[in-house]
């Protein structure tokens, strides 16, 4: 299983958490077996059209997203005129 697949399976986005805590092959194999045993509860759903939010369609940052620290530092050091 690739590192990326392992991170997805475990719900981790950061490289260090996955690499440091979940790197034993037997742990990953056990988790994978468990996931494969889970029932498919969505098999009765019919395909539907996807309606994306306007800010997603425009590839903008989510309106509720927090700016990163580096962006906050830059914007506070360069006040708008």
């Amino acid at each position: 299983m690739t590192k990326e697949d392992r991170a997805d399976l475990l719900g981790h986005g950061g490289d260090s958490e996955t690499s440091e805590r979940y790197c034993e092959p037997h742990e990953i194999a056990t988790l994978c077996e468990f996931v494969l045993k889970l029932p498919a509860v969505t098999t009765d759903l019919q395909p539907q059209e996807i309606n994306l939010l306007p800010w997603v369609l425009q590839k903008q940052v989510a309106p509720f997203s927090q700016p990163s620290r580096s962006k906050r530092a830059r914007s506070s050091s360069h006040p708008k005129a």
Side-chain angles (χ1 to χ4, degrees), residues 21-70:
R21 292 188 179 205
Y22 303 103
C23 58
E24 297 298 323
H26 63 72
E27 293 175 8
I28 301 303
T30 301
L31 287 171
C32 190
E33 285 177 32
F34 174 74
V35 169
L36 292 174
K37 290 179 184 178
L38 294 173
V41 296
T42 58
T43 55
D44 63 322
L45 296 179
Q46 297 297 313
Q48 300 289 318
E49 182 179 337
I50 296 174
N51 296 309
L52 298 175
L53 296 168
W55 55 267
V56 175
L57 287 171
Q58 297 167 7
K59 298 182 180 179
Q60 296 176 344
V61 176
F64 49 81
S65 177
Q66 298 282 328
S68 70
R69 286 186 211 140
S70 61

Side-chain angles (χ1 to χ4, degrees), residues 1-14 18:
M1 183 176 282
T2 68
K3 184 167 52 171
E4 291 81 12
D5 289 340
R6 188 169 64 229
D8 285 347
L9 174 65
L10 299 170
H12 295 293
T18 300

